[in-house]
Amino acid sequence: MPLDIREPDLAEWELLNRSQHAVFTRKQLRSFGISHDTVRANIRANRWQRVHRGVIALFSGPLPRDAKISAALLYAGLPAVLSHQTAAQEWGWLPKDDGTIHTTVPYGTSVMPQEGVLVHRSRAFRHIVVAHEPPRTSRADTVVDLAAAELNEAAAERTLLTVAAANRVPADEIRARLAARPAYRYGAALDRAVRLLGEGLTSMLEARYFLDVEQAHGIPRARRQVPVSVFGRKLLEDCSYEDLGISLIIRLDGRAYHSDTETAFRDRKRDNAAELSGTARLVYGWQDVDRNPCSVAREVVAVLRREGWNGPTLRCRKCLGP
């Protein structure tokens, strides 16, 4: 059934129809002269469908993801933004799926969750939004939301460290967001995680080395991103145990950042400089740390012991087995 949209309104209609993926609120439809009876007739004829209370899709059949997002935001009302897992998907951190759409609205808004729409409320709403399409929480606020939604402090710390490091969200940005919204869950754990980021955890691999090798096995925390002079050039070592009086460096070889010719040349120079200075070095990649952190920990501890460190260690859950 063709719609009789008045000529002066046609451009606005087409813009909304395109930007909202053919999903409208009943109020919007009325503003274009489309009556309640027309809406009801189209729904009964299965030409249109009711998605949420007051939200209509002007087509039948399954809703594409973009239409689901528009429907969720229109249902939540203005202002509303995508947040949590859905915002992470929009930032490209997680695979996009057709699951629940997470939205955040200002604290005090009365909108209730619907099937397929989860509604969060924020007292700091005005601080968390960025100008994007579709509207979403900032990168730093998305990290905080994902971490604060975890079930315990340990999981919150891990999520903040791994998500921020993997997606290169600066510690300073996260610290600023935490200061703007102080009533967040797991405050001590998240503050600790941000401090670690600020001290040099710059990748997912480095975060996992800290969490699954050092922290899980009671190994003292290495100093991160330690500057060294190599044949007149200033380079950075990922981890150094010099603060313990131990000449040991750990190189975390993420292939995405170590496979080009220039980086390979620098790594050889660093290897030669370490050998000449008598510094022990161990190199681990993603598979080492991800698949067998306990084996990595045993090797690191073996070198630390050989070099004179006698501190206690821990056995993690993987060490203990099922």
Side-chain angles (χ1 to χ4, degrees):
M1 177 187 297
L3 296 173
D4 184 21
I5 306 297
R6 297 185 298 271
E7 184 65 32
D9 298 331
L10 190 56
E12 183 182 357
W13 169 268
E14 290 176 348
L15 176 62
L16 280 179
N17 188 53
R18 183 170 57 253
S19 64
Q20 296 178 177
H21 305 282
V23 179
F24 289 79
T25 65
R26 287 182 179 270
K27 183 177 180 180
Q28 286 176 325
L29 293 174
R30 285 198 302 272
S31 73
F32 287 101
I34 300 171
S35 68
H36 173 73
D37 289 341
T38 299
V39 172
R40 184 168 56 186
N42 277 282
I43 291 175
R44 285 180 175 175
N46 292 321
R47 289 186 288 267
W48 296 356
Q49 57 186 308
R50 179 184 181 273
V51 185
H52 305 301
R53 188 177 62 189
V55 179
I56 309 299
L58 307 191
F59 56 89
S60 58
L63 268 68
R65 183 176 184 276
D66 287 341
K68 286 185 177 181
I69 285 176
S70 289
L73 291 171
L74 289 170
Y75 166 72
L78 295 176
V81 296
L82 303 177
S83 63
H84 297 77
Q85 282 84 355
T86 309
Q89 291 170 4
E90 292 301 305
W91 286 121
W93 303 347
L94 297 174
K96 293 183 178 181
D97 60 37
D98 290 326
T100 299
I101 305 297
H102 290 256
T103 65
T104 290
V105 297
Y107 192 83
T109 303
S110 61
V111 63
M112 299 299 293
Q114 294 278 298
E115 183 178 356
V117 181
L118 195 56
V119 179
H120 307 268
R121 290 172 172 79
S122 173
R123 295 181 185 273
F125 185 86
R126 64 190 178 90
H127 296 291
I128 67 176
V129 183
V130 292
H132 248 278
E133 193 57 43
R136 69 195 73 161
T137 49
S138 74
R139 283 163 47 89
D141 284 293
T142 302
V143 172
V144 173
D145 286 339
L146 292 173
E150 291 289 2
L151 296 178
N152 55 60
E153 285 195 350
E157 182 179 10
R158 170 180 287 271
T159 293
L160 192 147
L161 281 171
T162 55
V163 174
N167 298 290
R168 303 202 163 203
V169 183
D172 287 346
E173 290 184 15
I174 299 175
R175 188 178 293 111
R177 307 318 308 133
L178 292 176
R181 44 186 295 191
Y184 50 86
R185 296 174 75 196
Y186 311 132
L190 299 192
D191 288 343
R192 182 169 59 248
V194 173
R195 284 198 301 274
L196 290 168
L197 282 175
E199 291 170 9
L201 291 176
T202 61
S203 71
M204 175 76 122
L205 178 55
E206 290 177 20
R208 289 287 298 275
Y209 177 83
F210 165 71
L211 291 165
D212 297 342
V213 177
E214 287 184 334
Q215 188 178 80
H217 296 90
I219 298 172
R221 182 155 54 93
R223 192 152 55 98
R224 261 66 186 183
Q225 306 304 315
V226 178
V228 294
S229 179
V230 178
F231 301 113
R233 300 182 65 179
K234 181 180 177 182
L235 301 177
L236 298 175
E237 294 290 8
D238 296 321
C239 303
S240 170
Y241 291 95
E242 287 182 355
D243 289 353
L244 297 177
I246 304 295
S247 295
L248 169 63
I249 58 175
I250 304 294
R251 300 223 179 104
L252 298 170
D253 185 9
R255 292 177 62 188
Y257 305 107
H258 290 256
S259 57
D260 61 279
T261 302
E262 175 63 19
T263 303
F265 174 76
R266 289 201 306 267
D267 285 348
R268 288 198 298 273
K269 288 289 189 183
R270 289 194 303 175
D271 280 341
N272 292 344
E275 183 66 30
L276 289 169
S277 67
T279 301
R281 61 202 178 278
L282 295 171
V283 181
Y284 300 106
W286 174 259
Q287 290 188 343
D288 302 311
V289 175
D290 180 59
R291 294 183 180 179
N292 202 344
C294 304
S295 176
V296 172
R298 285 193 294 271
E299 292 177 1
V300 172
V301 169
V303 176
L304 291 175
R305 297 275 192 241
R306 186 189 72 194
E307 298 297 319
W309 180 72
N310 293 310
T313 59
L314 302 173
R315 298 184 70 192
C316 74
R317 285 182 294 179
K318 288 187 177 180
C319 294
L320 296 172

